[in-house]
Amino acid sequence: MVEYTYLVLRLPRGTTRDTARQILTEHAEHGGWELDRLRLYPDGSRRIQLRRKIIRQVRTF
């Protein structure tokens, strides 16, 4: 079974779509995060949930 770790970002209203895209691109390229959920609220703020796999090392003898 695949396990994930999650990161929640909150962007305030007034954040442009281009700025949000740049933030998500940096997290994806440098941290290995992928978009899980994005919620746009009526006031213009965004709640973004990112995830990445937990890679567990298996001991071999």
Side-chain angles (χ1 to χ4, degrees):
M1 183 171 166
V2 179
E3 294 183 45
Y4 292 98
T5 182
Y6 294 92
L7 173 67
V8 176
L9 301 174
R10 295 184 186 272
L11 299 180
R13 69 179 229 194
T15 304
T16 64
R17 185 180 289 189
D18 191 46
T19 304
R21 181 190 53 79
Q22 289 175 350
I23 292 170
L24 293 176
T25 301
E26 288 177 12
H27 277 84
E29 289 181 355
H30 301 293
W33 295 96
E34 62 184 28
L35 182 62
D36 185 43
R37 292 187 181 155
L38 186 140
R39 175 143 189 210
L40 179 61
Y41 290 99
D43 68 350
S45 63
R46 292 175 173 92
R47 180 181 179 273
I48 302 164
Q49 185 172 338
L50 304 174
R51 72 179 185 180
R52 68 177 168 189
K53 288 183 183 179
I54 297 175
I55 299 172
R56 304 226 186 254
Q57 293 182 348
V58 178
R59 190 173 195 175
T60 58
F61 294 94

